[in-house]
């Protein structure tokens, strides 16, 4: 999910039994002016069902438990999944700021939350996911965006693929 989709996620969008999330909203927060604008997804493909891994389900259940610890949640945000300590949706920039702090702390190059979306796409393809399935999960309107912009070929993957065809090349 994009940061805007994740920030807009509401409990009614999470189906623990079916193990899915229905992505149907985005949210734009202007932290300085405290303006929150909710809207639909950018494209019709963006409105989608995403199957959840067991780890994602565990995290969502933990988030539900954390919610009970918040003393005040404004009524207009009571159904949102991810809230800050003040009970309001977190400004999207905060996710990157926190990620930068963690990267600095462990001494690695900074990267954004959006980079994780690219990494997810790359790892899915490396694991054998069909490109069309990945396109649907990411909510892209065309396969070229998924494959040309989001999936990256790593050095390890190039080596692995060459080893896979090495015996065929020797036969020539």
């Amino acid at each position: 999910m994009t940061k805007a989709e994740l920030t807009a996620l509401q409990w009614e969008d999470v189906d623990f039994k079916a193990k899915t999330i229905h992505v149907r909203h985005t949210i734009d927060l202007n932290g300085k002016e405290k303006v929150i604008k909710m809207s639909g997804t950018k494209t019709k493909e963006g409105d989608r069902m995403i199957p959840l891994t067991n780890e994602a389900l565990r995290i969502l259940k933990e988030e539900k438990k954390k919610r009970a610890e918040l003393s005040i949640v404004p009524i207009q945000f009571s159904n949102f999944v991810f809230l800050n300590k003040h009970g309001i949706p977190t400004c999207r920039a905060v996710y990157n700021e926190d990620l930068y702090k963690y990267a600095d702390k462990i001494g690695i190059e900074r990267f954004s939350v959006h980079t994780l979306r690219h990494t997810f796409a790359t790892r899915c393809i490396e694991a054998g996911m069909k490109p069309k399935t990945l396109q649907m999960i990411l909510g892209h309107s065309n396969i070229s965006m998924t494959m040309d912009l989001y999936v990256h070929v790593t050095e390890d993957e190039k080596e692995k693929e060459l080893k896979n065809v090495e015996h065929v090349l020797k036969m020539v």
Side-chain angles (χ1 to χ4, degrees):
M1 296 173 69
T2 66
K3 287 185 294 185
E5 292 167 342
L6 195 61
T7 305
L9 188 64
Q10 298 180 40
W11 288 115
E12 65 193 30
D13 301 323
V14 180
D15 187 335
F16 286 102
K17 199 172 200 176
K19 297 182 176 184
T20 59
I21 286 178
H22 185 175
V23 179
R24 52 179 132 205
H25 301 107
T26 62
I27 199 168
D28 189 24
L29 299 168
N30 182 323
K32 291 178 182 171
E33 297 168 20
K34 306 249 189 278
V35 174
I36 298 173
K37 182 182 171 207
M38 188 87 146
S39 57
T41 57
K42 287 194 283 187
T43 64
K44 68 180 173 81
E45 292 83 6
D47 188 326
R48 64 202 185 277
M49 297 295 284
I50 299 177
L52 294 170
T53 64
N54 289 329
E55 179 66 7
L57 284 168
R58 185 193 67 73
I59 291 167
L60 287 166
K61 287 175 183 174
E62 278 294 313
E63 199 61 35
K64 203 160 185 108
K65 285 181 191 173
K66 277 190 215 173
R67 172 60 63 78
E69 298 170 10
L70 288 175
S71 56
I72 298 175
V73 176
I75 191 75
Q76 68 265 36
F77 305 127
S78 61
N79 198 35
F80 283 76
V81 174
F82 298 107
L83 300 176
N84 66 21
K85 64 184 178 184
H86 304 293
I88 61 172
T90 303
C91 182
R92 294 186 323 222
V94 171
Y95 292 114
N96 281 339
E97 290 167 10
D98 287 348
L99 195 53
Y100 297 159
K101 286 178 196 172
Y102 291 126
D104 291 347
K105 185 175 182 176
I106 62 173
I108 62 172
E109 186 179 333
R110 288 181 173 189
F111 58 93
S112 69
V113 172
H114 190 72
T115 301
L116 297 175
R117 191 166 150 86
H118 285 254
T119 302
F120 172 78
T122 300
R123 297 296 180 237
C124 285
I125 293 298
E126 288 176 353
M129 184 180 283
K130 294 176 177 139
K132 199 72 178 165
T133 302
L134 180 59
Q135 175 192 350
M136 296 298 117
I137 289 172
L138 294 176
H140 292 154
S141 57
N142 60 61
I143 195 74
S144 65
M145 176 175 279
T146 304
M147 297 307 291
D148 294 340
L149 297 177
Y150 277 77
V151 176
H152 307 282
V153 178
T154 64
E155 292 301 317
D156 288 345
E157 193 63 16
K158 286 193 281 188
E159 285 181 33
K160 184 179 113 187
E161 291 295 329
L162 274 175
K163 285 179 182 172
N164 287 343
V165 298
E166 186 174 32
H167 69 282
V168 175
L169 294 174
K170 287 181 181 178
M171 297 172 76
V172 177

